């Protein structure tokens, strides 16, 4: 798993600073940030569009968006793992994220056995939105797969 920062913090902080919010070995898993995407006034889901743009351009096969603001995603967006802005990541959120990640990898592992014919790009990306530095990152790191 790799981490891509999709937080609005990416617009005012360097990737070096954003990486510094994570401890090793997770700091090395932060591979970049999504670009800003601007939608037409009648369109919704700007954060989803930013994550999808990154996923498409980097040939990512599976991703989860961890975010506390569902208004930045279309209603019912299947890749969103919602958290609460006021509580940050909870044990329940982490358990759900961990379960979802392992299910996603299990699905892709079975697909790869059948269709693997060329070198594969990154299989999974966690698009991570930061609401309070350090508040939730340590919890995420404790429960995130290292491989």
């Amino acid at each position: 798993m790799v981490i891509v920062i999709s937080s609005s913090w990416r617009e005012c902080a360097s990737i070096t600073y954003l990486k510094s919010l994570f401890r090793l070995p997770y700091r090395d898993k932060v591979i970049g940030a999504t670009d800003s995407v601007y939608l037409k006034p009648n369109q919704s889901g700007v954060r989803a569009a930013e994550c999808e743009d990154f996923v498409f351009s980097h040939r990512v096969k599976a991703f989860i968006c961890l975010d506390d603001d569902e208004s930045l995603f279309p209603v019912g967006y299947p890749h969103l793992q919602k958290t609460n802005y006021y509580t940050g990541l909870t044990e329940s959120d982490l358990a759900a994220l961990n379960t979802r990640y392992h299910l996603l990898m299990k699905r892709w592992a079975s697909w790869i056995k059948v269709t693997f014919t060329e070198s594969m790009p990154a299989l999974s990306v966690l698009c991570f939105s930061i609401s309070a530095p350090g508040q939730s990152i340590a919890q995420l790191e404790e429960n995130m797969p290292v491989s």
Side-chain angles (χ1 to χ4, degrees):
M1 176 192 310
V2 294
I3 301 171
V4 175
I5 305 297
S6 61
S7 172
S8 58
W9 286 39
R10 73 191 189 285
E11 297 172 354
C12 60
S14 70
I15 194 67
T16 302
Y17 173 74
L18 294 172
K19 281 182 162 189
S20 76
L21 298 174
F22 292 84
R23 295 178 305 211
L24 291 173
Y26 306 101
R27 184 175 302 149
D28 295 334
K29 296 206 166 289
V30 178
I31 62 165
T34 58
D35 291 328
S36 294
V37 172
Y38 301 96
L39 301 178
K40 295 177 183 175
N42 61 341
Q43 292 179 303
S44 64
V46 68
R47 181 74 46 82
E50 291 167 345
C51 291
E52 289 173 2
D53 181 62
F54 184 93
V55 163
F56 179 78
S57 63
H58 290 84
R59 298 180 57 210
V60 172
K61 298 298 180 193
F63 67 104
I64 300 170
C65 301
L66 184 65
D67 207 304
D68 60 13
D69 188 353
E70 64 189 330
S71 72
L72 300 173
F73 298 85
V75 174
Y77 190 68
H79 300 286
L80 177 61
Q81 179 73 40
K82 172 106 171 54
T83 60
N84 185 299
Y85 174 81
Y86 298 103
T87 61
L89 279 171
T90 64
E91 293 300 320
S92 172
D93 293 331
L94 292 168
L97 180 63
N98 193 34
T99 299
R100 190 170 180 175
Y101 172 79
H102 287 290
L103 179 63
L104 197 60
M105 292 301 93
K106 187 176 182 179
R107 286 183 189 156
W108 278 102
S110 64
W111 177 81
I112 289 170
K113 289 176 188 172
V114 175
T115 62
F116 183 65
T117 59
E118 60 182 75
S119 62
M120 294 295 293
L123 280 179
S124 65
V125 168
L126 175 63
C127 293
F128 185 70
S129 178
I130 301 168
S131 29
Q135 170 191 359
S136 304
I137 292 173
Q139 289 177 300
L140 176 68
E141 291 172 346
E142 290 171 9
N143 292 276
M144 187 168 53
V146 176
S147 58

